[in-house]
Amino acid sequence: MHKLPLLGDEAIAQGAIDAGLSGLYAYPGTPSTEITEYVLKSKEAKEGKLVASWTSNEKTAMEATMGVSYIGKRGLTCMKHVGLNVAADAFINSAITGANGGLMVVAADDPSMHSSQNEQDSRFFGNFAMLPMLEPANQQEAYDMMHYGYDLSEKYEIPVLMRITTRLAHSRAGVVRKEMREQNKLKLPNTPNQFILLPANARRRYKMLLGTQDAFTTESEDSVYNKYIDADNKKRGIIACGISYNYLIENYADQKVPFPVLKIGQYPLPRKLIEKMYNECDEILVLEEGYPLVEESLRGYMNNGKPIKGRLDGTIPRDGELNPNIVAKAMGIENYEGREPSEQVVGRPPSLCKGCPHIYSYNALNEALEKYAKGRVFSDIGCYTLGALEPFTAINTCVDMGASITMAKGAADTGLVPAVAVIGDSTFTHSGMTGLLDAIISNSPITVLILDNETTAMTGGQNSNAKGKIEDICKGLGVLEEHIHVLIPLHKHHHKNMEVIKTELEYHGVSVIIPRRECIQTLATRIRAEKNKVKPAIQ
Ligand SMILES: Cc1ncc(C[n+]2csc(CCOP(=O)(O)OP(=O)(O)O)c2C)c(N)n1
Ligand code: SF4
């Protein structure tokens, strides 16, 4: 049997293509980015048989995908967990509109925050929206679940959320493909008012959503992805969700766990299977990545005295990702901790690349701000967030995409003058533009630096929707032309750049300074590709 060695992200992408995907829209974010990159590089996308595109943010991606579903075709959007916060308005309402063509939303969570600001658990969003959810345990399931998820989505005319975590997204395993399914033909929704969420329609649609909840649970009870694996020793029953099932069986050479195991891959939770385990076993141990969602539900379901163990009672740490060792400890079995790294292995803190344009922007900004008290630079998320570290220590905040301009505005409006916002080009078009409009409307005394390296560098150099548009956007929003400046962030321009920033700090209104020079990494990739006359892999 031929197996393709795929990352979890790639398995999802290949699964979607093989399941008849017509349109993928996404905004990059670790650990979800490789899904879209894989589809962009696919034969099907290159031949124009399906549409795949980066969008300005996760909300626009979600909505474009709803458009695909509206015309009866299969759509996919994928994002990192915090991206689902941005898409939440559309996502929650998509449960009320329902779907026409299959609609899959993939949220990639990042427990332990390897490259994120928090470790929120997207399963709460699935529950909040009252949608069916899938959580693969391995790459093969990730692939298979795309076929299954689209069928489920079309059967109930409802979006389906798939939740994965970093280790599954970024580890590779052999995947067997299924036969490729044809894409759906264009077919508008049968119910004309389905997507018009006027209150009268929305109330009706909401009742429909509530009315389908039991059917979703029955689907979970019968799902191949929720398996009760019986065993003789009933002293303990183990509920293992998603990839934590792998961490569990890795502890047993023959992969045979001596206790009954309920492997969960589909939500809402299969209540009957859980009741069976609760009634048969003396105690329950819950293994789940992220928040204690299942553990909490269990305490609500059947709190009649039997111990329920997991993250809430301290059997497993409350935060951080799981691994086979943590699971072994929770099971009270011998545990191979591994060796301490050699002394020769030294920690390498992240830093801006040598020659990075952001270095010269921060050098100029720091010098321009010398005469002011510290604590007035509101930053954002991107490579430039590394400006928080030595030797720059140039920024004072980093909260969520777009928050630099709006936080600077709030601070400046109420007394911190001058206030500075530092934002990247991709972040600016993601969610900085609306904040800039707010600042212009209130004539807030802020100096905005849009660090334009002409790419979305932090996530691997995807195209930036801001490319070639920033000055026009700022002018269109109402920034006065004489307060828009483009600089070249190079050492030889340091003095001039610093003087421009200094002057604008004195201006009591909105000014925008755009240090523009291409990221040296994408530049190098581009030059290499041009030399070899191949298209750059990064799109
Ligand atoms: C809501 C949300 N979506 C996606 C991300 C992942 N992410 C972090 S920074 C970034 C883009 C950075 O690009 P840019 O603003 O151009 O700055 P650069 O890294 O190029 O300096 C992305 C997509 C995130 N942290 N939050
Ligand atoms: S990848 Fe590009 S933007 Fe990021 S630190 Fe390196 S040079 Fe700078």
Side-chain angles (χ1 to χ4, degrees), residues 27-28 58 358 381 383-384 401 424-427 453 455-458:
Y27 184 73
E58 293 84 354
H358 299 333
I381 307 182
C383 280
Y384 51 94
M401 288 191 76
D425 51 320
S426 179
T427 308
N453 56 4
T455 187
T456 314
M458 188 166 216

Side-chain angles (χ1 to χ4, degrees), residues 394-415:
I395 63 170
N396 306 108
T397 70
C398 160
V399 181
D400 62 67
M401 288 191 76
S404 55
I405 297 179
T406 31
M407 283 182 72
K409 172 194 151 52
D413 288 350
T414 51

Side-chain angles (χ1 to χ4, degrees), residues 179-210:
E179 212 170 288
M180 203 156 174
R181 179 191 179 278
E182 287 232 336
Q183 290 183 29
N184 291 349
K185 302 256 178 306
L186 193 155
K187 183 183 152 289
L188 295 183
N190 288 330
T191 329
N193 290 340
Q194 180 183 342
F195 284 82
I196 307 174
L197 292 189
L198 279 167
N201 291 340
R203 276 183 221 116
R204 202 165 25 80
R205 298 282 319 169
Y206 181 49
K207 279 192 199 303
M208 280 172 66
L209 178 66
L210 292 174

Side-chain angles (χ1 to χ4, degrees), residues 224-238:
V224 288
Y225 299 113
N226 290 332
K227 240 192 278 176
Y228 197 99
I229 306 151
D230 212 352
D232 293 336
N233 190 342
K234 311 283 185 198
K235 286 220 159 79
R236 175 186 289 158
I238 302 158

Side-chain angles (χ1 to χ4, degrees), residues 278-493:
Y278 193 80
N279 292 334
E280 285 179 6
C281 300
D282 296 348
E283 66 172 37
I284 306 289
L285 172 67
V286 185
L287 304 175
E288 55 190 326
E289 280 290 26
Y291 292 1
L293 175 136
V294 172
E295 195 181 341
E296 260 173 13
S297 312
L298 242 66
R299 286 166 194 265
Y301 269 9
M302 43 198 85
N303 200 4
N304 68 2
K306 274 192 192 170
I308 295 170
K309 297 187 168 178
R311 289 192 188 267
L312 287 175
D313 80 328
T315 304
I316 289 171
R318 181 63 181 78
D319 62 331
E321 63 182 343
L322 298 179
N323 61 39
N325 293 330
I326 292 174
V327 172
K329 225 177 191 174
M331 300 281 295
I333 57 178
E334 207 181 325
N335 163 13
Y336 176 70
E337 290 277 5
R339 278 180 295 175
E340 286 297 311
S342 147
E343 275 173 20
Q344 283 170 339
V345 179
V346 247
R348 205 164 48 126
S351 63
L352 294 170
C353 304
K354 240 179 166 178
C356 170
H358 299 333
I359 293 173
Y360 305 96
S361 301
Y362 281 132
N363 286 344
L365 176 65
N366 276 349
E367 196 174 330
L369 278 169
E370 261 169 8
K371 73 170 192 184
Y372 301 97
K374 289 212 168 290
R376 58 187 69 243
V377 181
F378 298 85
S379 186
D380 229 295
I381 307 182
C383 280
Y384 51 94
T385 314
L386 295 170
L389 308 177
E390 295 285 355
F392 310 103
T393 55
I395 63 170
N396 306 108
T397 70
C398 160
V399 181
D400 62 67
M401 288 191 76
S404 55
I405 297 179
T406 31
M407 283 182 72
K409 172 194 151 52
D413 288 350
T414 51
L416 187 75
V417 179
V420 177
V422 178
I423 188 167
D425 51 320
S426 179
T427 308
F428 178 64
T429 44
H430 179 284
S431 43
M433 298 187 295
T434 43
L436 184 60
L437 180 60
D438 284 352
I440 289 158
I441 299 292
S442 54
N443 195 32
S444 305
I446 62 171
T447 306
V448 180
L449 267 74
I450 305 178
L451 306 188
D452 184 9
N453 56 4
E454 303 185 314
T455 187
T456 314
M458 188 166 216
T459 44
Q462 296 77 21
N463 286 348
S464 165
N465 281 0
K467 193 165 177 179
K469 298 185 171 62
I470 296 177
E471 291 92 307
D472 285 345
I473 292 172
C474 294
K475 273 186 228 160
L477 290 174
V479 184
L480 299 178
E481 218 164 325
E482 60 268 32
H483 291 289
I484 299 176
H485 305 271
V486 178
L487 311 178
I488 304 169
L490 277 173
H491 182 64
K492 63 180 176 186
H493 299 298

